[in-house]
Amino acid sequence: TMTFTFESPMFSSTDWIGIYKEDTIPPGDGGPSIDYQYIPSDSGSIEFTTVLTPGNYVAYLLCCDGYRVLANISFTIEDPNTAFVRPVKKAFGPTDEIAFDFNNPEYENTDWIGVYYVGDDPNTTPAIAWKYVTSTKGTLVLDDVLPAGTFEAYLFCCDVTEIVLAKSEVFTSAGGAASSYIRTSASVYPET
């Protein structure tokens, strides 16, 4: 079930929400909407139970039984057999727990999530923070506090860094408690 919250201040009883593939723009250059419903009021929420294949979609709030776009939201249907790791926020504050949603369909009890500065190679640079996952899917909260910076998280298999199951989008941390670290500007230097 997908729930969409909406607001349409100039509400008409013929305002509607239509679901389209990401690359299709109403009035449907690739065909009609996949599914649609009229909204019952000027604000609220509405549920769709449409069966969608994995991929990217856009839900449009459209006016007056036509195709004038009032608002839209992109969303993704994920394949339950595909691994992913995703920060629960794009920007963590200094007192926020650092947490990740993950899916690991081929879970092994030595799979783990490691956090690295953007651009670091996990095979040559140690993780800033890491923790074992304990199930096929869920939310993992790190025990460690991250320093300020821009990071990526990796989901690894089997207690090694050579088997990357998934990589997150970039996220930031405002830094928590003071922590020690050492960094280098590159992981490989030419001989001089």
Side-chain angles (χ1 to χ4, degrees):
T1 301
M2 297 167 287
T3 303
F4 298 100
T5 303
F6 61 87
E7 187 164 323
S8 183
M10 307 278 290
F11 172 69
S12 158
S13 62
T14 55
D15 289 352
W16 59 291
I17 293 175
I19 297 175
Y20 290 83
K21 282 293 262 179
E22 178 183 49
D23 54 355
T24 305
I25 301 168
D29 56 357
S33 64
I34 296 167
D35 196 2
Y36 72 93
Q37 291 186 47
Y38 290 101
I39 61 173
S41 61
D42 63 349
S43 65
S45 62
I46 196 165
E47 291 185 351
F48 283 77
T49 56
T50 312
V51 176
L52 299 172
T53 58
N56 297 319
Y57 297 87
V58 180
Y60 289 95
L61 175 59
L62 301 157
C63 178
C64 315
D65 234 357
Y67 296 99
R68 185 167 64 102
V69 176
L70 301 174
N72 65 66
I73 184 78
S74 298
F75 64 98
T76 301
I77 300 296
E78 293 179 325
D79 183 341
N81 298 313
T82 300
F84 68 80
V85 59
R86 183 180 310 116
V88 297
K89 294 178 165 185
K90 293 200 184 247
F92 293 96
T95 59
D96 293 340
E97 288 184 326
I98 309 297
F100 303 92
D101 292 328
F102 68 91
N103 188 48
N104 187 8
E106 296 182 21
Y107 167 72
E108 306 256 344
N109 67 356
T110 54
D111 293 352
W112 58 289
I113 293 176
V115 177
Y116 296 82
Y117 283 103
V118 170
D120 279 356
D121 180 352
N123 291 308
T124 60
T125 308
I128 300 298
W130 69 277
K131 189 172 183 178
Y132 287 113
V133 297
T134 58
S135 63
T136 58
K137 63 182 174 180
T139 301
L140 177 134
V141 178
L142 291 179
D143 299 326
D144 301 312
V145 175
L146 293 180
T150 305
F151 302 94
E152 296 170 309
Y154 291 79
L155 175 61
F156 296 107
C157 177
C158 314
D159 244 348
V160 297
T161 57
E162 291 82 15
I163 305 173
V164 176
L165 301 174
K167 180 180 168 184
S168 78
E169 60 193 17
V170 173
F171 66 96
T172 61
S173 169
S179 59
S180 300
Y181 68 92
I182 184 169
R183 290 192 35 84
T184 180
S185 59
S187 57
V188 177
Y189 293 93
E191 182 180 12
T192 56

